[in-house]
C-alpha cells in the first residue's frame, strides 16, 4: 500500500498530531501518495457551527499548511489537500463552494450524520433499529455518489443497524450497485479495524463482492501511527480475499473544480 487519502489532524478536535508528523510517518512506511481529508466545516442557521470539526474561520489555515507541506516534500511524497464531507441535501452546494474556496483538490464522502447537524442529526455509528433511518442513510450516500464530486465513499458500512438483517442487506446493496455503476469506490476503513469498531461489517462486504463494487483502502488516521497501520492492512487484505472484492488499489482522484451545480 503506497497511498492513503484519509487523514485527519489535531484540527478537528477529536484527533491528535500535527500534519508534518503524519507526513514523516507516511514516508517512513513507504506511502507515496497521501491526502489530508479533514472533516469539512459545517455551519447551520442561527449561528450554529458543528463541533465535530474545525470551525470555518480556521479552515484557511489548514489549507495553507497542507499547501506548504506539499511544496516542502515535493519529490518525496505527493500530498493532496482534501476534505471528508457529508452529503447534506440543503447544504451541499454551500459546502462544496467552501471546499473549493479552501483549495480542496479532492473530497471523500463520509456520512457521519443522517441529517444536517443543527437538526440534531443522529451520528451514524449509534445504534439504529428503524428501517426509515437505514433508508435515509442509504439515500444520503447514494445521492452523494450521484453528485460526481466524491473520490470515494469512506466507511460506507459505518451505519450501525441492529434491525432486521435482510432489510440491512437489501438497502446496503443499493450502495454497492450504485458504486459499481458510477465507479465510485467503497473504502475499507482501517480505523474501524484497528479499534475493533462495529465496522467493517461482513454482510456489507459480502454484498460488495457479489456486486463487483470497486474497493479501496483508507487509514482514517486520527493519530500519527494511524497514517500507516500494518496490522489493519493485513486484516483488510484478508477481507478482500474472503469476499473476492474488486480491489482497485489507489483511487483516481475526482477533480471537483469546474463542476456546475
Ligand atoms: Zn474524525
Ligand atoms: Zn475520516
Amino acid at each position: 500500500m503506497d497511498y492513503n487519502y484519509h487523514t485527519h489532524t489535531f484540527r478537528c478536535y477529536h484527533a491528535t498530531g500535527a500534519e508534518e508528523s503524519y507526513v514523516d510517518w507516511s514516508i517512513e512506511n513507504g506511502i507515496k501518495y497521501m491526502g489530508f481529508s479533514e472533516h469539512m466545516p459545517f455551519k447551520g442557521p442561527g449561528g450554529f457551527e458543528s463541533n465535530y470539526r474545525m470551525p470555518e474561520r480556521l479552515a484557511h489555515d489548514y489549507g495553507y499548511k497542507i499547501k506548504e507541506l506539499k511544496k516542502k516534500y515535493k519529490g518525496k511524497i505527493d500530498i493532496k489537500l482534501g476534505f471528508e464531507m457529508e452529503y447534506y441535501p440543503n447544504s451541499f452546494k454551500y459546502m462544496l463552494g467552501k471546499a473549493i474556496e479552501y483549495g480542496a483538490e479532492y473530497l471523500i464522502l463520509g456520512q457521519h450524520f443522517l441529517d444536517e447537524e443543527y437538526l440534531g442529526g443522529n451520528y451514524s455509528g449509534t445504534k439504529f433499529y428503524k428501517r426509515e433511518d437505514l433508508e435515509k442513510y442509504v439515500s444520503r450516500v447514494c445521492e452523494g455518489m450521484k453528485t460526481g464530486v466524491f473520490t470515494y465513499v469512506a466507511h460506507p458500512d459505518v451505519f450501525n443497524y441492529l434491525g432486521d438483517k435482510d432489510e440491512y442487506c437489501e438497502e446496503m446493496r443499493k450502495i454497492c450497485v450504485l458504486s459499481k455503476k458510477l465507479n465510485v469506490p467503497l473504502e475499507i476503513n482501517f480505523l474501524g479495524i484497528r479499534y475493533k469498531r462495529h465496522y467493517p461489517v461482513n454482510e456489507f462486504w459480502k454484498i460488495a463482492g457479489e456486486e463487483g463494487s470497486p474497493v479501496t483502502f483508507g487509514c482514517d488516521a486520527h493519530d500519527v501511527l494511524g497514517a500507516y497501520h500494518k496490522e489493519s492492512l493485513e486484516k483488510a487484505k484478508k477481507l478482500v480475499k474472503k469476499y473476492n472484492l474488486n480491489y482497485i488499489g489507489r483511487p483516481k482522484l475526482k477533480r471537483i473544480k469546474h463542476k456546475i451545480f
Side-chain angles (χ1 to χ4, degrees):
M1 187 184 182
D2 65 352
Y3 68 93
N4 168 42
Y5 290 109
H6 197 162
T7 317
H8 300 275
T9 71
F10 71 96
R11 290 177 199 270
C12 67
Y13 305 132
H14 61 267
T16 56
E19 290 85 353
E20 198 152 4
S21 314
Y22 283 80
V23 173
D24 289 339
W25 179 247
S26 300
I27 293 175
E28 212 174 295
N29 286 284
I31 300 287
K32 294 192 169 61
Y33 306 89
M34 145 172 223
F36 282 93
S37 56
E38 230 1 319
H39 295 282
M40 181 66 196
F42 176 68
K43 260 187 170 171
F48 173 90
E49 183 133 37
S50 166
N51 59 7
Y52 181 70
R53 47 199 87 226
M54 63 187 148
E56 272 191 356
R57 66 185 162 80
L58 296 178
H60 279 295
D61 291 347
Y62 163 68
Y64 298 146
K65 183 71 199 172
I66 305 304
K67 283 178 202 163
E68 181 191 310
L69 292 174
K70 203 180 169 72
K71 278 192 201 136
K72 184 171 174 186
Y73 285 88
K74 201 176 174 192
K76 284 194 181 141
I77 186 167
D78 182 61
I79 300 174
K80 292 278 190 282
L81 166 57
F83 286 94
E84 180 176 20
M85 189 169 119
E86 288 74 8
Y87 174 75
Y88 292 148
N90 300 325
S91 314
F92 175 70
K93 279 185 209 170
Y94 174 79
M95 290 171 89
L96 179 65
K98 281 285 176 190
I100 292 169
E101 185 188 314
Y102 302 141
E105 295 171 284
Y106 77 100
L107 295 171
I108 57 176
L109 174 63
Q111 196 68 31
H112 302 95
F113 299 90
L114 297 192
D115 289 303
E116 273 88 341
E117 291 151 64
Y118 62 87
L119 298 169
N122 294 313
Y123 176 61
S124 303
T126 51
K127 293 170 182 171
F128 287 94
Y129 298 90
K130 283 194 220 145
R131 179 152 189 166
E132 61 188 88
D133 290 327
L134 172 65
E135 284 172 358
K136 189 184 262 184
Y137 173 80
V138 170
S139 131
R140 296 283 189 258
V141 172
C142 289
E143 290 307 307
M145 280 195 272
K146 285 182 202 163
T147 64
V149 304
F150 293 104
T151 284
Y152 72 63
V153 184
H155 43 61
D157 48 347
V158 68
F159 188 73
N160 195 6
Y161 192 59
L162 298 176
D164 186 78
K165 277 276 173 253
D166 290 341
E167 282 176 8
Y168 177 82
C169 293
E170 199 181 310
E171 285 298 318
M172 287 302 192
R173 191 174 292 277
K174 292 178 186 168
I175 292 179
C176 296
V177 167
L178 195 63
S179 146
K180 166 84 178 160
K181 186 177 166 204
L182 302 178
N183 195 25
V184 180
L186 305 174
E187 175 207 71
I188 296 182
N189 185 275
F190 288 12
L191 186 69
I193 297 178
R194 185 176 167 204
Y195 290 106
K196 298 188 170 54
R197 290 185 171 179
H198 62 281
Y199 55 96
V201 177
N202 284 320
E203 286 87 351
F204 180 90
W205 296 104
K206 183 173 180 284
I207 298 168
E210 288 164 6
E211 298 298 339
S213 319
V215 172
T216 189
F217 292 161
C219 292
D220 200 356
H222 280 75
D223 67 354
V224 171
L225 297 184
Y228 181 86
H229 193 252
K230 198 167 186 300
E231 290 93 280
S232 300
L233 173 61
E234 292 311 319
K235 285 184 181 160
K237 281 182 185 167
K238 277 188 188 148
L239 211 55
V240 167
K241 216 169 171 194
K242 185 173 177 190
Y243 294 115
N244 193 24
L245 298 174
N246 173 20
Y247 176 66
I248 59 156
R250 179 159 70 99
K252 193 174 178 300
L253 299 187
K254 279 204 180 80
R255 287 175 63 88
I256 55 170
K257 282 178 184 168
H258 316 301
K259 281 258 173 199
I260 299 157
F261 286 92

